[in-house]
Amino acid sequence: MTRPSAGGRIEVICGCMYSGKTEELIRRMRQVMIARQPCRIFTPRLDTRYSEAHVASHTGARLEAMPISSIHEVLANVEDMHVVAIDELHFLEDSAEEIIDGCQDLADRGIRVLVAGLDQNYRAEPFPGMMQLMAVAEQVDKLYAICVRCGAYATRSQRLIDGKPAPTDAPTIVVGGLDLYEARCRSCYEQAP
Ligand code: ADP
Ligand code: ZN
């Protein structure tokens, strides 16, 4: 595609941790801002690693964002917006159905909806909301990190506790950085005990 549709659309940016999802979201939103299109960025309140009022990549790039807990807060805050971005979608507390319905509703209103998030949890299982959103999206980009073990492309987020794979019954959402998560490829990824 050489030219995005003038109407509403859903774009999904997915991949493992450190794959550059937030960097890509910021890159696209900077273009939107240069084009002076009315836009707003949302970020889950849960992700407080850097700053509540910003989306921030691991490289330090950041843009102002509105903290939210639910997709319903997005729907309530998009009046006159042409472009809406949601970072770290997997952190929202809504069900997959609520996420799909919310994003479809936004796109049906003519809004360009950019969504970034993990496609798989630390157990290498798909995140239901992200998985279903990919099926209905106009555009899906899957990014890769570099495996810290072998240097191949990494597609999985390995959660570690004292250097060992976190057990399968650990909570799905634990916010953390390089001390807690490693990007790994399929063959270096260790199944949780
Ligand atoms: P994501 O949102 O996907 O977690 P970010 O956009 O926040 O990713 O950060 C991506 C940046 O993380 C890269 O540009 C790179 O500087 C850094 N990084 C740290 N570890 C890795 C890794 N193993 N592979 C690739 N990039 C990494
Ligand atoms: Zn590897």
Side-chain angles (χ1 to χ4, degrees):
M1 182 171 54
T2 54
R3 180 173 161 274
S5 130
R9 64 198 313 264
I10 299 175
E11 299 170 28
V12 176
I13 302 164
C14 70
C16 63
M17 284 191 68
Y18 314 110
S19 60
K21 302 180 296 297
T22 301
E23 270 179 1
E24 177 60 17
L25 190 82
I26 290 173
R27 190 186 71 81
R28 290 187 201 182
M29 288 310 288
R30 285 207 170 119
Q31 288 187 335
V32 167
M33 288 168 188
I34 288 167
R36 297 178 195 276
Q37 293 165 350
C39 63
R40 183 161 286 158
I41 307 174
F42 297 89
T43 187
R45 231 175 233 114
L46 191 66
D47 186 12
T48 53
R49 279 175 301 178
Y50 304 100
S51 161
E52 284 207 330
H54 291 89
V55 292
S57 80
H58 290 103
T59 51
R62 47 196 255 158
L63 285 181
E64 243 179 72
M66 180 183 283
I68 52 162
S69 305
S70 158
I71 189 83
H72 298 291
E73 289 169 75
V74 177
L75 292 161
N77 286 288
V78 293
E79 210 179 331
D80 301 325
M81 293 299 152
H82 292 193
V83 184
V84 161
I86 310 170
D87 195 24
E88 311 261 33
L89 184 88
H90 53 274
F91 280 149
L92 291 185
E93 55 195 32
D94 310 292
S95 68
E97 288 66 33
E98 285 173 300
I99 286 170
I100 306 308
D101 289 352
C103 291
Q104 294 273 54
D105 184 359
L106 292 168
D108 289 342
R109 292 191 213 168
I111 296 172
R112 178 182 173 201
V113 184
L114 305 184
V115 167
L118 292 170
D119 47 8
Q120 302 163 54
N121 62 25
Y122 80 96
R123 300 182 205 98
E125 301 158 344
F127 269 110
M130 285 295 290
M131 176 172 84
Q132 294 185 31
L133 203 53
M134 283 184 225
V136 299
E138 272 73 15
Q139 184 180 338
V140 178
D141 291 286
K142 178 154 176 156
L143 308 181
Y144 313 95
I146 297 299
C147 174
V148 297
R149 286 283 174 93
C150 76
Y153 283 137
T155 51
R156 297 186 179 183
S157 309
Q158 182 89 56
R159 188 194 295 165
L160 298 169
I161 297 176
D162 296 330
K164 296 197 181 72
T168 4
D169 57 2
T172 300
I173 301 287
V174 175
V175 179
L178 281 169
D179 51 330
L180 254 183
Y181 291 96
E182 282 182 0
R184 295 210 190 163
C185 71
R186 178 182 288 272
S187 54
C188 294
Y189 175 81
E190 295 170 74
Q191 271 307 335

